[in-house]
């Protein structure tokens, strides 16, 4: 009712006053030097704390000053200045204003000014001071709010965990709002993460994320950092099971058209993984993150181990709302064959006859055709060189390229199907 409005207004003013008086807001810009931060934020509270512990001593200092004042007044009076009295006081006794400054040292073990240390150590020293301030204010019944810009500034990445620990100590006594461009500094709790951007009118827009992973992906994108960069991948990539796979593919490209026919393959970065299990494990752990950023296709042998690995990756990615598609995400060398089986069977038969020790498995069918084979890991390089030399001795590439050409065309096409952001 109208007659209650003055009471409501007074109550509202009292609530706002209590909120303001009971809250300390500290803004820590990334551009300020440690020395400035110490002078503006830390030193005043140190003075108050020291003054609070020296009440009796301050009274004695004040009494001594009054004694000096009395002596000087008597001297003036003896000189004929009867109406003049000297007086001394301590400036801002309650806040320690009479304490001009403190020297801040760090020993590591050399004891020097904290502001002469490296910028990273200075930054950590300031965070430790902020943690102490937040604790003191909490004990005094005040709520503290800390607005900290880019706490990772000047820090080596190895010091990020220490900085996070100190920030947690501040948060134990107050509230912390921090901005960051460092992936490590992004909170694990999605509810604590906001991204900011500018609206068309120049206002601030806030964006929420469903997970910290989604937030770090967005941050990497805004910084131009790709997940693939952590593995040294190229602009386009072909993953293979072994090193001999790479040498044979590059050899086949050079013999069957080169850059004019396979431009993407010629520019691709080939990465071998030392076996099908290693390739499978890498795709399990990383392909969901790599695929939206970088054109990548995996080449698997068509033998039982290769097919088993493909099914395992398909099952894993399928459970995470994604897929692993033939001709897009992967290509099989040749049905039922390891990559050496992309060469004609007659070449394999000739090689087995000449070097049976290179094979750990050799199974012919009743028509003496190759049913199955495996080459010893230690002999794969020799086998690849032998097969390539045998192909180069052929009168025409058609003799050996019947399976090689479709394989290279499939890899080239798979690289061309990639689209940014594909999941």
């Amino acid at each position: 009712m109208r007659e209650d409005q003055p009471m409501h207004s007074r109550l509202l003013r009292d609530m706002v006053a209590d909120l303001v008086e009971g809250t300390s807001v500290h803004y820590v810009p990334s551009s300020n030097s440690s020395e400035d931060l110490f002078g503006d934020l830390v030193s005043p509270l140190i003075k108050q704390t020291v003054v609070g512990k020296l009440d009796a001593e301050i009274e004695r200092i004040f009494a001594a000053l009054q004694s000096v004042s009395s002596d000087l007044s008597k001297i003036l009076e003896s000189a004929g200045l009867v109406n003049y009295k000297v007086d001394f006081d301590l400036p801002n006794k309650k806040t320690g204003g009479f304490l001009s400054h403190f020297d801040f040292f760090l020993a590591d073990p050399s004891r020097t000014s904290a502001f002469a240390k490296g910028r990273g150590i200075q930054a950590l020293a300031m965070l430790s001071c902020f943690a102490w301030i937040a604790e003191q204010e909490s004990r005094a019944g005040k709520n503290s709010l800390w607005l900290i810009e880019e706490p990772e500034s000047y820090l080596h990445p190895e010091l990020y965990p220490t900085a996070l620990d100190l920030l947690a100590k501040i948060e134990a006594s107050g509230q912390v709002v921090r901005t960051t461009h460092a992936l490590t500094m992004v909170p694990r709790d999605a509810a604590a993460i906001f991204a900011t951007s500018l609206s068309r009118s120049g206002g601030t827009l806030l964006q929420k994320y469903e997970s910290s992973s989604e937030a770090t992906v967005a941050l990497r994108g805004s910084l131009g950092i790709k997940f693939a960069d952590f593995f040294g991948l190229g602009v386009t990539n072909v993953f293979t099971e072994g090193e001999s796979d790479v040498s044979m593919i590059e050899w086949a490209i050079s013999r069957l058209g080169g850059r004019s026919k396979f431009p993407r393959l010629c520019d691709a970065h080939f990465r071998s993984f030392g076996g099908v299990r290693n390739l499978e494990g890498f795709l399990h752990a990383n392909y969901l993150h790599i695929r939206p950023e970088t054109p990548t296709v995996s080449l698997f042998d068509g033998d039982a181990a290769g097919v088993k690995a493909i099914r395992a990756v398909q099952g894993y990615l399928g459970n995470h709302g994604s897929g692993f598609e033939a001709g897009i995400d992967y290509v099989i060398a040749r049905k039922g064959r390891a990559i050496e089986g992309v060469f004609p069977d007659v070449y394999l038969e000739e090689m087995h006859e000449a070097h049976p020790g290179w094979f750990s498995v050799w199974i012919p069918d009743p028509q003496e055709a190759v049913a199955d084979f495996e080459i010893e890991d230690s002999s794969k390089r020799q086998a690849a060189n032998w097969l390539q030399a045998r192909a180069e001795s052929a009168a025409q590439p058609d003799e050996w390229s019947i399976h090689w050409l479709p394989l290279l065309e499939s890899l080239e096409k798979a690289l061309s199907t990639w689209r940014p952001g594909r999941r």
Side-chain angles (χ1 to χ4, degrees), residues 123-125 127-128 131 161-171:
L124 294 179
L127 288 176
S128 67
T162 305
L164 287 170
D165 183 62
L166 291 171
L167 288 168
K169 293 183 186 302
I170 300 173
E171 290 171 342

Side-chain angles (χ1 to χ4, degrees), residues 1 21 41 86 143 167 221 225 232 241 271 279 291 326 356 373 385 401:
M1 296 179 69
E21 291 175 2
L41 292 177
V86 176
N143 300 313
L167 288 168
I225 299 174
E241 295 182 16
R271 171 69 65 87
L279 175 56
R291 176 167 57 187
F373 74 94
N385 291 338
S401 64

Side-chain angles (χ1 to χ4, degrees), residues 118-189:
R119 293 300 299 272
I121 297 301
Q122 290 185 42
L124 294 179
M126 287 300 99
L127 288 176
S128 67
C129 290
F130 300 160
W132 175 76
I133 292 174
E135 183 181 0
Q136 298 301 310
E137 291 178 336
S138 178
R139 289 179 179 177
K142 274 196 168 187
N143 300 313
S144 60
L145 175 61
W146 294 83
L147 310 176
I148 303 177
E149 283 188 348
E150 301 182 359
E152 71 274 11
S153 298
Y154 310 112
L155 288 180
H156 189 282
E158 288 184 353
L159 295 177
Y160 285 1
T162 305
L164 287 170
D165 183 62
L166 291 171
L167 288 168
K169 293 183 186 302
I170 300 173
E171 290 171 342
S173 302
Q175 292 181 293
V176 177
V177 177
R178 66 180 188 257
T179 61
T180 185
H181 287 97
L183 298 173
T184 308
M185 292 287 177
V186 176
R188 303 282 75 83
D189 182 5

Side-chain angles (χ1 to χ4, degrees), residues 215-241:
T216 55
V217 168
L219 180 56
R220 286 200 307 270
S222 67
L223 296 176
I225 299 174
K226 293 182 179 179
F227 192 85
D229 294 339
F230 295 105
F231 302 103
L233 301 184
V235 177
T236 58
N237 303 273
V238 176
F239 295 161
T240 70
E241 295 182 16

